[in-house]
Amino acid sequence: MYTTEFDKKAAEAALATMSDEDAELVAAFEARVANDEFIEPNDWMPDAYRKTLTRQISQHAHSEIVGMLPEGNWLTRAPSLSRKAILLAKIQDEGGHGLYLYCAAETLGTSREEMIHALHEGRAKYSTIFNYPSLNWADIGVIGWLVDGAAIMNQVPLQRTSYGPYARSMVRICKEESFHQRQGYDLLLEMMKGTPEQKAMVQDAVNRWWWPSLMMFGPPDDYSPNTAQSIRWRIKRDTNDELRQKFIDATVPQAELLGVTLPDADLSWNEGRGHYDFGALAWDEFYAVVRGDGPTAKERLKARRAAWDEGAWVREAADTYAAKQTAARAAA
C-alpha cells in the first residue's frame, strides 16, 4: 500500500463524530467487523470509518498514479526493446491499479473528481517514496525490488480488510505487484553480472532508496494517529512497525543473494528477538517530504496537474458520447 498516515487533526475530528451516532448501530457495525464480515457500500457505517477509508484508499490511488512518473522518466531510455516492453507493461498496470482504487473509493460517496482536485490542491497525500528522483537505470530495478516489495508487504493483508470493495480490488493488485517486484529483482540480478560500473550503479541506487522504502510504512506506531482505530476496524491488520520489521527480515537475505550492501551500519540479526535490528530512520526527512518538501514534490504535482488539464478533451468527449448513448436508449 502506498499511503502516508499523517493527519492527526482529521483523525481526531472523525472519531469525535462517533459520539453523535446511534450506539446500537455502532455496536452492530463493530460486531460485524470483529466477526471478519465484509462491510459493503450500502451497509451502515460510522462516519469516521467512511472518512478513514476515503482518505486511505484515495491516497493509495494517488500513489499508484504518481508512481508512474519516476518510471516513465526512463521509458525512452530503457537499454533494450525487451526492457522497454516490460517497463511499459508495468506502468500500464499501475494506471490500472489507480483506476480500481478510485472506483473503490467512489463507493464511499466521494467522486473521483473531488479526490483528484484534493491531490492537485495539496490537500490529499500520496506516498512519500514518489518524491524521490530516479537517477539511473538501476533505480528502476530497485523501485521494483524495494518499493514494490514494501508495497506488497502492506497490501497482502489488505485483501482481508473489512471494506469489501477495497479488499476485492487488492486481489488483482497484489498479483501484479508481486510480478513487479520479481521484475525489478531480475533486472538487478542481470546488472550485478555485468561490469563494475553496472554493479556500482546498483549499489548507488540501493543506498538512495533503502531508507525512503522503510519510511513507506508510515511513522512509528507511537506517532501514527490512525493506526489503533484502523486495526480495531480491521481496515489494517498490522501496525506500521510490524510491517516494517517484516519487510526488513524478508529483504536482508535477498540483498545478500543479490550481492549488495544495505546502507545501515546497525543492521544485524538479533537471535533473542528472532528479527533484524536496524538503525534509526530520519523521521525529520519523512515529515518534511510529507509537507511537500521532497526532492521532486513540486515536479510530481506539476506533472499531474498538466496531465489532468491536457486530458480534459478526452473526458469531455467521453461524457458527450455517454450522453448520446443514454439519449438513444431512451428514445428506442
Side-chain angles (χ1 to χ4, degrees):
M1 175 179 59
Y2 305 118
T3 61
T4 298
E5 282 195 277
F6 187 59
D7 198 350
K8 186 175 181 180
K9 291 183 179 179
E12 291 173 346
L15 289 173
T17 65
M18 289 190 64
S19 60
D20 300 326
E21 294 174 326
D22 189 291
E24 291 185 3
L25 288 173
V26 172
F29 167 84
E30 295 204 338
R32 290 186 61 195
V33 169
N35 197 40
D36 280 335
E37 296 181 32
F38 280 140
I39 304 300
E40 300 297 344
N42 292 331
D43 294 339
W44 185 90
M45 63 188 75
D47 287 342
Y49 179 82
R50 186 184 302 276
K51 290 176 181 178
T52 297
L53 275 168
T54 301
R55 173 190 57 79
Q56 178 169 318
I57 301 173
S58 66
Q59 283 186 10
H60 193 166
H62 298 329
S63 299
E64 296 283 357
I65 299 301
V66 175
M68 299 161 68
L69 296 174
E71 295 172 319
N73 182 47
W74 280 91
L75 189 55
T76 60
R77 294 177 285 170
S80 69
L81 181 59
S82 174
R83 289 295 179 188
K84 181 177 291 189
I86 292 170
L87 182 57
L88 183 60
K90 180 185 179 184
I91 293 170
Q92 178 177 289
D93 285 348
E94 306 294 5
H97 298 173
L99 175 62
Y100 307 151
L101 292 163
Y102 281 131
C103 289
E106 284 181 310
T107 66
L108 291 160
T110 301
S111 72
R112 191 174 315 181
E113 287 75 15
E114 290 175 296
M115 290 182 274
I116 291 174
H117 287 319
L119 171 66
H120 293 171
E121 293 171 2
R123 293 183 287 110
K125 305 297 182 182
Y126 55 88
S127 178
T128 56
I129 195 71
F130 298 120
N131 283 331
Y132 291 87
S134 50
L135 302 180
N136 68 51
W137 175 247
D139 285 34
I140 300 304
V142 171
I143 289 172
W145 173 40
L146 295 182
V147 176
D148 292 328
I152 292 167
M153 196 64 69
N154 249 320
Q155 291 171 350
V156 167
L158 289 175
Q159 295 175 100
R160 297 181 293 115
T161 192
S162 59
Y163 189 57
Y166 194 20
R168 289 187 287 273
S169 72
M170 293 312 305
V171 174
R172 179 167 179 171
I173 291 175
C174 284
K175 290 179 180 178
E176 292 178 349
E177 291 289 3
S178 180
F179 173 80
H180 298 168
Q181 200 254 3
R182 292 188 183 97
Q183 170 266 326
Y185 196 70
D186 173 74
L187 189 159
L188 298 177
L189 283 172
E190 288 299 310
M191 291 190 71
M192 290 300 287
K193 297 175 184 176
T195 65
E197 289 79 9
Q198 288 175 310
K199 295 177 182 178
M201 287 172 65
V202 173
Q203 185 62 63
D204 172 64
V206 171
N207 291 346
R208 287 183 286 106
W209 289 94
W210 173 247
W211 293 106
S213 295
L214 297 187
M215 295 178 193
M216 283 179 63
F217 297 97
D221 293 344
D222 291 344
Y223 296 91
S224 179
N226 306 303
T227 291
Q229 188 63 64
S230 292
I231 292 287
R232 177 179 175 180
W233 281 338
R234 305 291 202 274
I235 295 174
K236 295 176 64 173
R237 294 285 179 162
D238 305 275
T239 71
N240 298 349
D241 288 336
E242 288 170 347
L243 289 169
R244 193 171 3 256
Q245 184 69 68
K246 287 182 181 180
F247 174 71
I248 292 171
D249 291 347
T251 305
V252 172
Q254 297 171 4
E256 293 172 352
L257 179 61
L258 187 60
V260 297
T261 301
L262 297 175
D264 182 357
D266 297 322
L267 189 64
S268 62
W269 179 253
N270 186 318
E271 192 67 39
R273 291 199 313 121
H275 297 287
Y276 282 93
D277 292 334
F278 56 97
L281 279 68
W283 291 114
D284 288 346
E285 176 184 330
F286 170 80
Y287 290 120
V289 176
V290 169
R291 290 193 300 269
D293 295 332
T296 62
K298 293 181 175 60
E299 175 186 331
R300 299 290 185 242
L301 276 182
K302 181 180 178 181
R304 289 310 313 151
R305 293 188 190 108
W308 180 258
D309 293 340
E310 293 168 7
W313 69 272
V314 179
R315 297 191 299 276
E316 290 168 4
D319 288 342
T320 300
Y321 178 76
K324 288 182 177 179
Q325 293 293 101
T326 300
R329 286 194 295 270

